[in-house]
Amino acid sequence: MFETIMSVLCVLLALTGLSWLIRWTAMRIMVPKSRGRRALLVLLEGDDAEIELRAALECARWAERCCSTVLAVDCGVTGRAKSVCYKLCQEYGNILLLPVEELPAFLRRAPWDIFKID
């Protein structure tokens, strides 16, 4: 019985490692090597803004070679979520939080040297 449980556990761990290896290989192949001037744009609204911002950070972490910066646009973040989003921006150096009114002026700026956080 113990051998069966250990065999199943080993197979599950092997499958988990294999899926991670496939994902890592796919990211290496499909993501461009140059970082350039790319950012992940996230529109934050309502009380779920913290969750959306954390999800965007995780996506940026996985696609680090593609875009390492998260551009978060405040489209009406309310209550406690707003203070948490500002804390996340201070804690992580790769998040820019803009009010929705400032987005057009920000996008018109050239060059986008602000995205070179490395």
Side-chain angles (χ1 to χ4, degrees):
M1 181 68 173
F2 179 73
E3 292 176 2
T4 306
I5 292 172
M6 288 305 288
S7 297
V8 169
L9 184 62
C10 286
V11 168
L12 288 176
L13 289 174
L15 288 175
T16 303
L18 184 63
S19 67
W20 183 87
L21 184 63
I22 291 170
R23 178 179 170 83
W24 181 82
T25 305
M27 290 296 288
R28 288 286 172 191
I29 292 171
M30 294 192 297
V31 173
K33 292 184 193 247
S34 64
R35 284 190 172 173
R37 298 176 184 162
R38 297 182 195 107
L40 180 62
L41 179 65
V42 181
L43 303 175
L44 304 175
E45 187 175 21
D47 293 331
D48 292 337
E50 176 190 356
I51 296 168
E52 292 171 7
L53 188 57
R54 287 184 188 273
L57 280 169
E58 192 63 26
C59 287
R61 187 178 71 87
W62 273 100
E64 182 180 334
R65 289 176 53 202
C66 181
C67 58
S68 60
T69 304
V70 176
L71 179 59
V73 180
D74 182 355
C75 297
V77 179
T78 58
R80 184 178 171 274
K82 190 170 212 156
S83 64
V84 172
C85 287
Y86 280 108
K87 275 189 179 180
L88 285 173
C89 291
Q90 291 173 352
E91 185 176 332
Y92 298 93
N94 63 339
I95 305 172
L96 297 170
L97 184 61
L98 296 173
V100 71
E101 298 84 23
E102 292 181 19
L103 183 62
F106 179 79
L107 293 177
R108 272 189 242 116
R109 278 192 235 158
W112 287 8
D113 291 333
I114 197 162
F115 289 123
K116 296 181 181 176
I117 295 178
D118 305 327

